[in-house]
Amino acid sequence: MWSQRRVVDYGLAKRAVVRSLRSGRASRRDVCDAQPYLLRAARHFGEPTERPCPVCEKENVTNVTYVYGDALGRHAGQAKVTSDLIAMAHDYDEFRVYVVEVCQGCSWNHLTVSYVLGNGPPDLAGQA
């Protein structure tokens, strides 16, 4: 996305959780704990993927995208579809986006990535 910055990928954390599950250090109940609101958001606002669930491997995970930021007002904390983010990036200076993958079959859920969007000034860190 044109204004995406300050990206944090949670792939290593996800692999650690899956590894803990497969080694027996964590139970399925520990990692398949999606709240009903998250499952509803996946059903109504989620975007299907081609990635199989790392736990049940029966269904593909769904990405649910949430937005947070002081400038968003009543929109803060809402689930959004990607097309909404494009318009919001033009309308707001800065807000944070969180993408959670959810399995609607076994209730697996994990934060996959977060990033900042908006039309505010670009980050200048690391530039000379």
Side-chain angles (χ1 to χ4, degrees):
M1 199 162 299
W2 67 272
S3 70
Q4 188 176 34
R5 56 196 182 271
R6 288 185 257 163
V7 177
V8 179
D9 184 327
Y10 296 92
L12 288 174
K14 174 184 167 181
R15 284 194 290 274
V17 170
V18 172
R19 198 173 321 118
S20 290
L21 176 66
R22 292 191 176 140
S23 70
R25 292 189 312 265
S27 72
R28 189 168 172 162
R29 187 179 339 192
D30 294 332
V31 300
C32 295
D33 60 352
Q35 298 295 315
Y37 177 78
L38 179 57
L39 293 170
R40 270 194 307 276
R43 198 168 37 254
H44 297 291
F45 299 100
E47 298 181 72
T49 72
E50 295 297 318
R51 293 186 321 271
C53 173
V55 177
C56 72
E57 298 177 343
K58 294 177 184 172
E59 293 191 32
N60 289 340
V61 295
T62 302
N63 284 342
V64 181
T65 303
Y66 290 97
V67 294
Y68 291 91
D70 294 336
L72 297 179
R74 63 182 180 86
H75 296 290
Q78 291 184 352
K80 299 290 182 181
V81 294
T82 302
S83 60
D84 291 340
L85 298 179
I86 295 166
M88 291 176 70
H90 289 283
D91 294 341
Y92 296 99
D93 285 343
E94 184 173 287
F95 60 96
R96 185 156 279 281
V97 177
Y98 296 90
V99 180
V100 179
E101 70 175 23
V102 180
C103 176
Q104 296 180 61
C106 72
S107 297
W108 156 263
N109 64 103
H110 202 280
L111 179 63
T112 59
V113 67
S114 70
Y115 51 91
V116 171
L117 289 179
N119 63 19
D123 292 340
L124 300 175
Q127 294 182 5

